[in-house]
Each structure stands twice: as structure tokens, then as C-alpha cells.
Short mmCIF file of all heavy atoms in Angstrom, two decimals:
data_model
loop_
_atom_site.label_atom_id
_atom_site.label_comp_id
_atom_site.label_asym_id
_atom_site.label_seq_id
_atom_site.Cartn_x
_atom_site.Cartn_y
_atom_site.Cartn_z
N LEU R 1 -47.71 -44.64 -56.74
CA LEU R 1 -46.85 -44.50 -55.57
C LEU R 1 -45.38 -44.43 -55.99
O LEU R 1 -44.61 -43.60 -55.49
CB LEU R 1 -47.08 -45.65 -54.59
CG LEU R 1 -46.23 -45.62 -53.32
CD1 LEU R 1 -46.58 -44.40 -52.49
CD2 LEU R 1 -46.44 -46.89 -52.52
N ILE R 2 -44.99 -45.29 -56.93
CA ILE R 2 -43.60 -45.29 -57.40
C ILE R 2 -43.26 -43.97 -58.09
O ILE R 2 -42.20 -43.39 -57.84
CB ILE R 2 -43.36 -46.50 -58.34
CG1 ILE R 2 -43.40 -47.79 -57.53
CG2 ILE R 2 -42.03 -46.36 -59.07
CD1 ILE R 2 -43.41 -49.04 -58.38
N VAL R 3 -44.16 -43.46 -58.91
CA VAL R 3 -43.92 -42.19 -59.59
C VAL R 3 -43.82 -41.05 -58.57
O VAL R 3 -42.96 -40.17 -58.68
CB VAL R 3 -45.02 -41.92 -60.64
CG1 VAL R 3 -44.94 -40.50 -61.16
CG2 VAL R 3 -44.91 -42.91 -61.78
N ALA R 4 -44.68 -41.06 -57.57
CA ALA R 4 -44.63 -40.03 -56.53
C ALA R 4 -43.32 -40.09 -55.74
O ALA R 4 -42.71 -39.05 -55.45
CB ALA R 4 -45.82 -40.18 -55.59
N LEU R 5 -42.87 -41.29 -55.41
CA LEU R 5 -41.61 -41.44 -54.67
C LEU R 5 -40.43 -40.97 -55.52
O LEU R 5 -39.50 -40.33 -55.00
CB LEU R 5 -41.41 -42.89 -54.22
CG LEU R 5 -42.31 -43.36 -53.08
CD1 LEU R 5 -42.12 -44.85 -52.84
CD2 LEU R 5 -42.05 -42.56 -51.83
N LEU R 6 -40.44 -41.28 -56.81
CA LEU R 6 -39.38 -40.79 -57.69
C LEU R 6 -39.36 -39.26 -57.74
O LEU R 6 -38.30 -38.64 -57.73
CB LEU R 6 -39.54 -41.37 -59.10
CG LEU R 6 -39.14 -42.81 -59.29
CD1 LEU R 6 -39.51 -43.29 -60.68
CD2 LEU R 6 -37.66 -42.99 -59.04
N GLY R 7 -40.53 -38.67 -57.77
CA GLY R 7 -40.61 -37.21 -57.76
C GLY R 7 -40.05 -36.62 -56.48
O GLY R 7 -39.32 -35.62 -56.51
N VAL R 8 -40.37 -37.23 -55.35
CA VAL R 8 -39.84 -36.76 -54.06
C VAL R 8 -38.32 -36.90 -54.03
O VAL R 8 -37.60 -35.99 -53.59
CB VAL R 8 -40.50 -37.52 -52.90
CG1 VAL R 8 -39.77 -37.26 -51.59
CG2 VAL R 8 -41.96 -37.13 -52.78
N LEU R 9 -37.81 -38.04 -54.50
CA LEU R 9 -36.36 -38.25 -54.49
C LEU R 9 -35.65 -37.25 -55.41
O LEU R 9 -34.59 -36.71 -55.04
CB LEU R 9 -36.03 -39.69 -54.90
CG LEU R 9 -36.40 -40.77 -53.89
CD1 LEU R 9 -36.12 -42.16 -54.47
CD2 LEU R 9 -35.63 -40.57 -52.60
N LEU R 10 -36.21 -37.00 -56.58
CA LEU R 10 -35.59 -36.01 -57.47
C LEU R 10 -35.63 -34.62 -56.86
O LEU R 10 -34.68 -33.84 -57.00
CB LEU R 10 -36.30 -36.03 -58.83
CG LEU R 10 -36.00 -37.22 -59.72
CD1 LEU R 10 -36.86 -37.18 -60.97
CD2 LEU R 10 -34.53 -37.25 -60.09
N GLY R 11 -36.72 -34.30 -56.19
CA GLY R 11 -36.81 -33.01 -55.52
C GLY R 11 -35.77 -32.86 -54.42
O GLY R 11 -35.11 -31.82 -54.30
N LEU R 12 -35.62 -33.89 -53.62
CA LEU R 12 -34.62 -33.85 -52.54
C LEU R 12 -33.20 -33.76 -53.11
O LEU R 12 -32.37 -33.03 -52.57
CB LEU R 12 -34.74 -35.09 -51.65
CG LEU R 12 -35.94 -35.10 -50.70
CD1 LEU R 12 -36.03 -36.43 -49.97
CD2 LEU R 12 -35.85 -33.96 -49.72
N ALA R 13 -32.94 -34.49 -54.19
CA ALA R 13 -31.62 -34.43 -54.81
C ALA R 13 -31.35 -33.02 -55.32
O ALA R 13 -30.24 -32.50 -55.20
CB ALA R 13 -31.52 -35.44 -55.95
N GLY R 14 -32.36 -32.37 -55.88
CA GLY R 14 -32.20 -31.00 -56.35
C GLY R 14 -31.92 -30.03 -55.21
O GLY R 14 -31.07 -29.15 -55.32
N VAL R 15 -32.63 -30.20 -54.10
CA VAL R 15 -32.41 -29.33 -52.94
C VAL R 15 -31.00 -29.50 -52.39
O VAL R 15 -30.31 -28.53 -52.07
CB VAL R 15 -33.48 -29.61 -51.86
CG1 VAL R 15 -33.11 -28.95 -50.54
CG2 VAL R 15 -34.84 -29.14 -52.34
N VAL R 16 -30.55 -30.74 -52.29
CA VAL R 16 -29.19 -31.01 -51.79
C VAL R 16 -28.15 -30.40 -52.72
O VAL R 16 -27.19 -29.78 -52.27
CB VAL R 16 -28.97 -32.53 -51.62
CG1 VAL R 16 -27.51 -32.86 -51.38
CG2 VAL R 16 -29.82 -33.05 -50.48
N ARG R 17 -28.36 -30.54 -54.02
CA ARG R 17 -27.39 -30.00 -54.98
C ARG R 17 -27.34 -28.47 -54.90
O ARG R 17 -26.26 -27.88 -54.92
CB ARG R 17 -27.77 -30.43 -56.39
CG ARG R 17 -26.78 -29.98 -57.42
CD ARG R 17 -27.02 -30.64 -58.74
NE ARG R 17 -25.97 -30.22 -59.66
CZ ARG R 17 -26.19 -29.83 -60.89
NH1 ARG R 17 -27.41 -29.81 -61.36
NH2 ARG R 17 -25.20 -29.46 -61.66
N VAL R 18 -28.49 -27.84 -54.81
CA VAL R 18 -28.51 -26.38 -54.71
C VAL R 18 -27.83 -25.93 -53.42
O VAL R 18 -27.09 -24.94 -53.40
CB VAL R 18 -29.97 -25.86 -54.78
CG1 VAL R 18 -30.06 -24.40 -54.37
CG2 VAL R 18 -30.51 -26.04 -56.19
N HIS R 19 -28.05 -26.66 -52.33
CA HIS R 19 -27.40 -26.32 -51.07
C HIS R 19 -25.88 -26.43 -51.18
O HIS R 19 -25.15 -25.54 -50.74
CB HIS R 19 -27.92 -27.24 -49.96
CG HIS R 19 -27.22 -27.06 -48.65
ND1 HIS R 19 -27.34 -25.92 -47.90
CD2 HIS R 19 -26.36 -27.86 -47.98
CE1 HIS R 19 -26.60 -26.04 -46.82
NE2 HIS R 19 -25.99 -27.21 -46.85
N GLN R 20 -25.41 -27.52 -51.79
CA GLN R 20 -23.97 -27.71 -51.95
C GLN R 20 -23.36 -26.62 -52.83
O GLN R 20 -22.28 -26.11 -52.53
CB GLN R 20 -23.67 -29.09 -52.54
CG GLN R 20 -23.93 -30.22 -51.57
CD GLN R 20 -23.76 -31.59 -52.21
OE1 GLN R 20 -23.72 -31.71 -53.43
NE2 GLN R 20 -23.67 -32.62 -51.39
N LEU R 21 -24.04 -26.26 -53.90
CA LEU R 21 -23.53 -25.20 -54.77
C LEU R 21 -23.52 -23.85 -54.06
O LEU R 21 -22.61 -23.04 -54.25
CB LEU R 21 -24.36 -25.12 -56.06
CG LEU R 21 -24.16 -26.27 -57.04
CD1 LEU R 21 -25.14 -26.15 -58.20
CD2 LEU R 21 -22.74 -26.31 -57.54
N GLY R 22 -24.52 -23.62 -53.23
CA GLY R 22 -24.55 -22.37 -52.45
C GLY R 22 -23.39 -22.30 -51.47
O GLY R 22 -22.75 -21.25 -51.33
N VAL R 23 -23.11 -23.39 -50.80
CA VAL R 23 -21.99 -23.43 -49.86
C VAL R 23 -20.68 -23.24 -50.59
O VAL R 23 -19.81 -22.48 -50.15
CB VAL R 23 -22.00 -24.76 -49.05
CG1 VAL R 23 -20.71 -24.93 -48.27
CG2 VAL R 23 -23.20 -24.80 -48.13
N ALA R 24 -20.51 -23.91 -51.73
CA ALA R 24 -19.28 -23.77 -52.51
C ALA R 24 -19.09 -22.34 -53.00
O ALA R 24 -17.99 -21.80 -52.96
CB ALA R 24 -19.29 -24.74 -53.69
N THR R 25 -20.17 -21.70 -53.40
CA THR R 25 -20.09 -20.31 -53.85
C THR R 25 -19.69 -19.39 -52.70
O THR R 25 -18.86 -18.48 -52.88
CB THR R 25 -21.43 -19.88 -54.44
OG1 THR R 25 -21.77 -20.75 -55.51
CG2 THR R 25 -21.38 -18.46 -54.96
N GLN R 26 -20.27 -19.60 -51.55
CA GLN R 26 -19.92 -18.77 -50.39
C GLN R 26 -18.46 -18.96 -50.01
O GLN R 26 -17.77 -17.99 -49.66
CB GLN R 26 -20.81 -19.12 -49.20
CG GLN R 26 -22.23 -18.64 -49.37
CD GLN R 26 -23.12 -19.03 -48.20
OE1 GLN R 26 -22.72 -19.81 -47.34
NE2 GLN R 26 -24.32 -18.50 -48.18
N ILE R 27 -17.96 -20.18 -50.09
CA ILE R 27 -16.55 -20.44 -49.77
C ILE R 27 -15.65 -19.71 -50.76
O ILE R 27 -14.65 -19.10 -50.37
CB ILE R 27 -16.27 -21.96 -49.75
CG1 ILE R 27 -16.96 -22.59 -48.54
CG2 ILE R 27 -14.78 -22.25 -49.74
CD1 ILE R 27 -16.93 -24.10 -48.55
N GLU R 28 -16.00 -19.75 -52.04
CA GLU R 28 -15.19 -19.06 -53.04
C GLU R 28 -15.23 -17.55 -52.85
O GLU R 28 -14.21 -16.87 -53.01
CB GLU R 28 -15.66 -19.43 -54.45
CG GLU R 28 -15.28 -20.83 -54.86
CD GLU R 28 -15.57 -21.10 -56.32
OE1 GLU R 28 -15.58 -20.13 -57.11
OE2 GLU R 28 -15.77 -22.26 -56.65
N VAL R 29 -16.38 -17.02 -52.52
CA VAL R 29 -16.50 -15.57 -52.28
C VAL R 29 -15.63 -15.17 -51.08
O VAL R 29 -14.94 -14.14 -51.12
CB VAL R 29 -17.97 -15.16 -52.08
CG1 VAL R 29 -18.09 -13.76 -51.53
CG2 VAL R 29 -18.72 -15.28 -53.39
N LEU R 30 -15.66 -15.96 -50.03
CA LEU R 30 -14.85 -15.65 -48.85
C LEU R 30 -13.36 -15.74 -49.18
O LEU R 30 -12.56 -14.89 -48.73
CB LEU R 30 -15.19 -16.58 -47.69
CG LEU R 30 -16.57 -16.36 -47.07
CD1 LEU R 30 -16.87 -17.45 -46.05
CD2 LEU R 30 -16.66 -14.99 -46.43
#
């Protein structure tokens, strides 16, 4: 259970980071 929760948290952190980088890139392009 602990390993599965760590995997979920790392996945969510990756999704958030990719989203933030996408927004930052769009702002720079604009």
C-alpha cells in the first residue's frame, strides 16, 4: 500500500509539473 501510494504521489507530482511547464511555455510564446 505504501509503495502504491508513493507511485500515485509521484505520478501526480509529474502531472502538476508538466502542467506548470506547459503554462509557462504558453506565456512565453504569447
Side-chain angles (χ1 to χ4, degrees):
L1 180 64
I2 290 170
V3 169
L5 288 174
L6 284 173
V8 168
L9 290 175
L10 287 175
L12 286 174
V15 168
V16 168
R17 183 169 184 226
V18 167
H19 174 68
Q20 289 175 344
L21 289 174
V23 169
T25 302
Q26 288 178 351
I27 290 171
E28 287 188 27
V29 167
L30 290 173

